[in-house]
Amino acid sequence: MNVMGDKATLFETGRFVQPSGEEPTRDEAAEAAEEARHRLQAEAGDVESMSVLGAMLLRRGDLDGAEPRLRAATAAGDRAAANNLGVLLHQRGYPEEAAGWWRIAAVAGSAAAAHALGRHHRERGDEPAAEYWLRQSAEQGHALGAYALADLLEHRGDTEAGQWMRAAAERGHREAAYRLARALDRRAAVAEGEAGPDNGVGTENPVEDATGAPDTDEAEQWYRQAAARGHRRAALHLGAILERRGALKEAGRWYLTSAKDGEARAACALGFLLRDAGDTESAAVWWLRAAQDGDGNAANALGALHAERGETQTAERWYRAAMDAGDDNGAYNLGLLCAEQGRTAQAEQWYRRAAYAGHREAANALAILLLQGGDTSGAEPWFSKAAEAGSVDAAFNLGILYAGRGEDRVALRCYEQAAAAGHTEAALQVGIARLREGDEAAAERHLRCAAGGGSAEAAYRLAAVLDARRPPVPEHELGESSLNVKTECEEWYERAATQGHRRAQVRVGMLAAARGDVVEAARWYRAAAEAGSRNGAFNLGLLLAREGSEPEAAVWWERAADAGHGRAALRLALVYARRGELAEGQRWADRAVALGPAEVTERAGRLRDALREELSA
């Protein structure tokens, strides 16, 4: 057969009918008129009209009407008709006969037929023949051929796959654009030393980029191209990129597009965006849609929403749905819900289920539950498992467990692991340990991390380290420095004091007094004293006494003395002695002798003896 010519028809672009979402809108009246015109011309013997009419009938599903037209056009040498005849026969269930016609069209130069023939051979496991025909199609610029060739080569691990995937993407193939974007995304993540950019939105097989250099901006552009062509997963990933960038409005639009196309993960992500914007009702609608489509994350979100409203039974139902969807967070959240309700046995059951599935926070929660029940030996392996899986809290808790046993070196290693991951309290413990060892530089580094993370104790200890480095200055009885310049250590003291740290409040009061700011000093002393600080009460008493308010000062000294402050007891003994209340003075002097320290004991002892002599005279 002398096959020649290449009449463009609907099926010249591929082997199967294009999805309706990718076809242009047709004017039915114009199409009917065009069909009538081609029918007349075909009956008059026009080969091109036979081919076009056959394609139109094939597209409409009229196989019986299409076949004779296509066979007639094929016999007259129309290669597009030969390709479409292969499509028709394949649909009728005659793949080998279809392949014969595709071969005729492909030999005559039909890229679409070469693609169809390549797909046919791949389905039958003949990869060499498949590669040959797919390459023929791809080299003629056929997008589907380039994509199918890239997919075949990628399956074999051939680095040439990236070149053809890019070629298909550049020719408008949306799946190729999506997979190229995914490959670029992953390469960028590897270059940055990260686990990957999935963010819970799925994984596909990577295709190596032939250009070598990863480019996140280029990945975004390919996502955009695929999403604009209706690729719902591309729209999902594009939404995630935009959300990370802070472009929430545009991210929401792409999530909505993807969700409307049936992507449950996009519906879930859209729900979180709406929740963060304060629209929990709309969020719940999208979470419900995603959860009903089997998205475990959305089911968990619904469970948390109902739990916040106090609707625990509904919350439990959604957590179970999440668990049934394969989301281990469902079991963990069920454990949390049961623990909050005091259902310890059930909480342990759900924690165990999630922990055995590899949920690290569930393993940590299970260990805490066991520890609270006195089962230290049972808690330790779960803390260890959670810590090995990357749970920062578990590493810290394991450190506490070892420290309680006196195994300080092992505890320190656990604290260091947690501190390296940013755990504030762990950094504090490492800082304290380094101070104890005399490694001030390492201690300061860890204390700064902990203080920056919000630890008031770390801020106080850091301030104390910096304070100790200042040159000695004369101090009056209160111990306040005479310097008037606010230093870094004072700033740290103030940060700790503002967070309610009593010793820091006392120290800030002392520094304020040194500057002559009596009002500020009294404010901080009073705050510390009212929080239970005996030093704060003592210093407040001193300040009040100097301002001429000795009766009120005595009230604060008594509070300090009752809390075990020896100097406060001595001050009270002197107050009562001056008032002539010798017996009361002697009682407080006795108390001061018992409380100490040595200097106070000596002075209080002399006062007590003098008062005793006076009383016996």
Side-chain angles (χ1 to χ4, degrees):
M1 178 186 297
N2 183 19
V3 180
M4 54 188 297
D6 190 5
K7 310 301 187 296
T9 71
L10 172 70
F11 295 97
E12 186 65 3
T13 59
R15 171 172 156 193
F16 302 110
V17 176
Q18 296 292 326
S20 60
E22 293 189 12
E23 286 191 19
T25 303
R26 294 176 177 270
D27 185 326
E28 293 183 3
E31 186 172 306
E34 183 183 4
E35 181 181 331
R37 180 174 61 81
H38 283 300
R39 190 179 295 276
L40 287 173
Q41 292 176 349
E43 291 174 354
D46 186 278
V47 175
E48 181 178 350
S49 290
M50 293 179 195
S51 179
V52 173
L53 179 60
M56 294 176 74
L57 294 171
L58 178 59
R59 188 188 65 178
R60 198 162 65 219
D62 184 0
L63 304 188
D64 291 335
E67 185 171 352
R69 271 78 178 184
L70 292 175
R71 285 189 181 276
T74 299
D78 189 296
R79 71 181 185 188
N83 174 53
N84 290 339
L85 181 57
V87 173
L88 184 148
L89 291 167
H90 189 274
Q91 291 183 12
R92 284 193 183 279
Y94 302 109
E96 297 305 325
E97 188 178 353
W101 290 110
W102 283 329
R103 182 181 296 276
I104 290 171
V107 169
S110 172
H115 164 248
L117 189 58
R119 291 287 301 272
H120 170 80
H121 284 299
R122 188 176 182 188
E123 287 170 2
R124 278 150 184 73
D126 187 353
E127 289 199 1
E131 181 181 348
Y132 174 81
W133 289 111
L134 291 175
R135 194 176 290 277
Q136 293 295 314
S137 176
E139 288 175 351
Q140 291 180 65
H142 195 270
L144 291 173
Y147 174 73
L149 177 60
D151 187 68
L152 175 65
L153 294 173
E154 188 274 328
H155 179 71
R156 292 208 310 242
D158 193 321
T159 56
E160 191 186 359
Q163 167 194 333
W164 288 111
M165 193 66 76
R166 182 178 291 277
E170 289 171 347
R171 292 165 189 167
H173 194 287
R174 69 181 188 184
E175 183 66 23
Y178 172 70
R179 289 179 64 173
L180 180 58
R182 298 291 294 131
L184 291 166
D185 237 353
R186 284 192 179 86
R187 289 177 60 133
V190 170
E192 294 171 8
E194 298 175 356
D198 284 339
N199 296 309
V201 291
T203 59
E204 287 78 28
N205 292 330
V207 179
E208 291 297 327
D209 176 22
T211 62
D215 188 338
T216 53
D217 291 336
E218 186 185 3
E220 180 181 341
Q221 293 308 310
W222 288 117
Y223 279 136
R224 284 188 181 278
Q225 177 172 309
R229 290 177 173 270
H231 196 292
R232 68 186 192 188
R233 284 174 295 168
L236 169 64
H237 283 276
L238 180 57
I241 289 172
L242 294 166
E243 184 180 358
R244 288 196 299 270
R245 188 185 298 157
L248 302 184
K249 186 173 291 187
E250 187 181 0
R253 286 199 297 271
W254 285 112
Y255 282 148
L256 180 61
T257 298
S258 181
K260 285 182 174 179
D261 285 341
E263 182 58 60
R265 293 168 295 176
C268 180
L270 180 58
F272 282 112
L273 273 189
L274 291 166
R275 181 205 62 182
D276 294 342
D279 188 355
T280 54
E281 295 305 318
S282 296
V285 170
W286 286 105
W287 283 333
L288 178 60
R289 181 168 174 172
Q292 289 173 336
D293 286 339
D295 190 281
N297 194 22
N300 273 313
L302 281 172
L305 183 63
H306 287 289
E308 288 172 5
R309 295 172 177 173
E311 301 165 355
T312 55
Q313 289 186 336
T314 307
E316 185 170 338
R317 179 166 62 85
W318 282 114
Y319 288 147
R320 287 179 183 273
M323 189 172 57
D324 292 341
D327 192 325
D328 297 329
N329 283 315
Y332 173 57
N333 289 332
L334 274 171
L336 292 174
L337 187 65
C338 292
E340 288 173 2
Q341 296 173 336
R343 296 151 58 192
T344 307
Q346 288 176 286
E348 181 180 339
Q349 169 194 343
W350 294 118
Y351 285 151
R352 281 189 185 278
R353 177 164 179 168
Y356 277 120
H359 196 293
R360 66 190 188 189
E361 296 310 323
N364 180 56
L366 175 60
I368 292 172
L369 199 65
L370 294 170
L371 196 60
Q372 289 171 342
D375 187 1
T376 306
S377 60
E380 182 181 345
W382 286 111
F383 276 139
S384 297
K385 185 174 182 178
E388 288 169 3
S391 172
V392 180
D393 289 335
F396 177 67
N397 291 336
L398 195 58
I400 294 174
L401 192 66
Y402 284 123
R405 294 177 183 170
E407 300 178 43
D408 293 339
R409 300 309 304 172
V410 182
L412 181 57
R413 286 200 296 272
C414 294
Y415 289 145
E416 286 175 330
Q417 178 185 341
H423 196 286
T424 298
E425 291 304 312
L428 170 62
Q429 293 302 320
V430 175
I432 292 172
R434 296 305 179 210
L435 276 178
R436 194 181 302 122
E437 295 169 357
D439 188 350
E440 192 174 289
E444 180 183 344
R445 186 171 65 252
H446 282 96
L447 290 175
R448 283 187 182 277
C449 290
S455 170
E457 180 66 24
Y460 172 74
R461 289 178 178 267
L462 174 60
V465 168
L466 298 173
D467 205 359
R469 293 179 187 166
R470 296 197 300 172
V473 292
E475 295 184 348
H476 55 67
E477 186 175 4
L478 280 177
E480 300 97 350
S481 169
S482 61
L483 292 177
N484 292 320
V485 179
K486 184 180 288 189
T487 60
E488 184 189 4
C489 75
E490 187 171 356
E491 291 174 355
W492 284 112
Y493 278 136
E494 286 184 357
R495 180 180 295 193
T498 302
Q499 293 175 259
H501 194 285
R502 295 182 300 179
R503 285 177 294 170
Q505 289 171 337
V506 173
R507 186 61 183 153
V508 172
M510 294 171 67
L511 292 168
R515 293 195 302 270
D517 191 343
V518 177
V519 173
E520 183 72 1
R523 181 172 74 86
W524 286 112
Y525 287 151
R526 191 177 297 276
E530 289 176 348
S533 168
R534 62 188 185 184
N535 286 329
F538 174 68
N539 283 3
L540 180 57
L542 288 177
L543 200 64
L544 291 167
R546 288 179 180 178
E547 294 297 313
S549 302
E550 189 174 84
E552 187 182 353
V555 171
W556 289 107
W557 282 332
E558 185 170 345
R559 182 180 292 193
D562 287 340
H565 198 289
R567 286 188 174 86
L570 177 57
R571 287 280 176 172
L572 282 171
L574 291 169
V575 168
Y576 285 112
R578 283 197 299 270
R579 291 178 184 174
E581 300 178 32
L582 304 184
E584 189 67 11
Q586 183 181 340
R587 185 173 73 84
W588 284 110
D590 284 336
R591 187 76 182 276
V593 168
L595 293 172
E599 177 190 351
V600 170
T601 298
E602 181 183 352
R603 291 178 61 192
R606 290 200 301 268
L607 177 59
R608 179 189 58 188
D609 293 342
L611 291 173
R612 189 174 294 162
E613 288 179 9
E614 187 72 23
L615 285 169
S616 62

